[in-house]
Amino acid sequence: MTEIRLTDHLKQYLSQKKITAITLDRQMKKVCCAGPPLPSVKAGKPRDQTGFECFSIDHISIYWHRQIKYSKPTLCISVRTFLLMKNIFVYDPDTVCLCSGGQQDG
């Protein structure tokens, strides 16, 4: 399975918002011209947990859809500001570019 890394800024954001879970779903999207398709990400648990594997990283529950086919060894999750709003996003740490919009905080 892919190693998942949570940035310190994400951990701080989740703590401030009292969010204890993240869902990575199988709706893969190409967000970068140079990187692989990435799973969708959202704060909270999935409504229907069927098909998800749950594990914990630093006391945060990660719900990973079992049908995700991610080709890289590492996936990072962070928070960024886009249009004056903070949102959670995933990225490939080996292919970081800004063409997906927004700017990573920190």
Side-chain angles (χ1 to χ4, degrees):
M1 184 170 174
T2 300
E3 174 190 4
I4 296 176
R5 296 183 190 157
L6 308 178
T7 65
D8 289 339
H9 277 83
L10 175 69
K11 292 176 203 174
Q12 292 170 358
Y13 173 78
L14 295 175
S15 177
Q16 290 170 353
K17 297 290 183 178
K18 296 184 179 11
I19 298 170
T20 59
I22 294 175
T23 297
L24 292 161
D25 211 339
R26 64 182 175 225
Q27 183 181 356
M28 304 293 280
K29 8 180 204 181
K30 186 83 168 163
V31 294
C32 176
C33 57
L38 298 168
S40 63
V41 63
K42 69 174 187 172
K45 299 177 185 179
R47 286 189 181 137
D48 180 3
Q49 296 176 18
T50 305
F52 285 88
E53 177 181 338
C54 182
F55 53 91
S56 180
I57 299 175
D58 296 328
H59 307 291
I60 298 167
S61 296
I62 308 295
Y63 289 84
W64 175 276
H65 198 285
R66 290 184 182 111
Q67 291 182 353
I68 291 175
K69 305 287 189 247
Y70 185 67
S71 61
K72 300 287 188 151
T74 306
L75 182 68
C76 291
I77 306 174
S78 192
V79 64
R80 66 179 166 197
T81 302
F82 184 63
L83 299 175
L84 303 176
M85 296 179 62
K86 290 195 182 275
N87 61 29
I88 298 171
F89 75 108
V90 296
Y91 67 94
D92 171 12
D94 296 327
T95 314
V96 178
C97 83
L98 297 176
C99 67
S100 60
Q103 181 172 336
Q104 181 174 342
D105 291 347

